[in-house]
């Protein structure tokens, strides 16, 4: 919730001094395509990021420097699994782009990183990576089969 995020960030700044970098890496892993899955992803991934950015952006702008980093996922671009997770991670990319435009003149950088899956033979990642690799392979064959884009 907004008050808890604001209170936490204020305590961090009070205890450690000015904040120079905000890394938004929370995730509710909204893995089910139902009301609960969407709500979990929306509240944790998207609104947690937005609320933290609302709190820190004015401080960074006042300092004239700093960086905000949103951690998205390649799922935002490839849609290999859960619809809520993929859609919310795509929304983070859009939010970062808009925030970057609004803060650039004040010396604040906003970026998004989109890590891919790390395939290893355990639980969810094995299934997720298999789907992702199949998608990537078919995508590359389709677009690169004749040597051009």
């Amino acid at each position: 919730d907004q008050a808890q995020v604001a209170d936490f960030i204020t305590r961090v700044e009070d205890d450690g001094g000015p904040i120079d970098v905000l890394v938004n890496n929370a995730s509710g892993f909204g893995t089910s395509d139902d009301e609960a899955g969407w709500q979990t992803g929306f509240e944790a991934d998207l609104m947690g990021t937005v609320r933290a950015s609302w709190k820190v952006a004015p401080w960074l702008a006042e300092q004239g420097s700093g960086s905000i980093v949103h951690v998205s996922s390649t799922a935002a671009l490839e849609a290999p699994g859960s619809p809520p997770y993929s859609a919310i991670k795509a929304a983070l990319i859009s939010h970062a782009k808009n925030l970057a435009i609004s803060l650039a003149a004040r010396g604040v950088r906003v970026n998004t990183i989109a890590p891919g899956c790390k395939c290893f033979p355990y639980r969810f990642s094995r299934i997720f990576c298999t789907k992702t690799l199949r998608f990537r392979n078919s995508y590359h064959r389709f677009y690169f089969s004749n040597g051009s884009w």
Side-chain angles (χ1 to χ4, degrees):
D1 108 330
Q2 187 171 357
Q4 289 177 323
V5 171
D7 180 56
F8 172 75
I9 292 173
T10 300
R11 283 186 287 129
V12 167
E13 187 182 47
D14 290 346
D15 292 345
I19 294 173
D20 297 312
V21 178
L22 170 65
V23 178
N24 291 305
N25 191 29
S27 182
F29 291 103
T31 57
S32 60
D33 191 14
D34 57 18
E35 186 73 28
W38 279 93
Q39 194 63 39
T40 298
F42 182 78
E43 283 300 322
D45 292 41
L46 183 59
M47 290 311 298
T49 294
V50 169
R51 291 173 181 137
S53 298
W54 283 339
K55 183 67 177 173
V56 173
W59 297 342
L60 297 178
E62 186 177 310
Q63 292 170 195
S65 66
S67 181
I68 297 173
V69 179
H70 293 355
V71 179
S72 181
S73 169
T74 56
L77 308 170
E78 297 174 350
S82 165
Y85 183 79
S86 297
I88 298 298
K89 291 301 184 176
L92 290 177
I93 294 170
S94 179
H95 181 260
K97 287 179 180 181
N98 286 283
L99 196 58
I101 290 167
S102 69
L103 293 173
R106 309 276 312 267
V108 179
R109 296 178 321 277
V110 182
N111 299 96
T112 303
I113 62 170
C117 69
K118 178 167 177 23
C119 296
F120 57 94
Y122 300 105
R123 297 178 29 208
F124 173 73
S125 293
R126 182 181 205 168
I127 296 164
F128 183 80
C129 291
T130 301
K131 286 182 180 179
T132 301
L133 292 174
R134 281 188 195 140
F135 176 82
R136 285 184 183 157
N137 289 339
S138 64
Y139 177 80
H140 290 299
R141 277 196 305 273
F142 177 76
Y143 285 103
F144 296 105
S145 62
N146 64 1
S148 65
W149 184 243

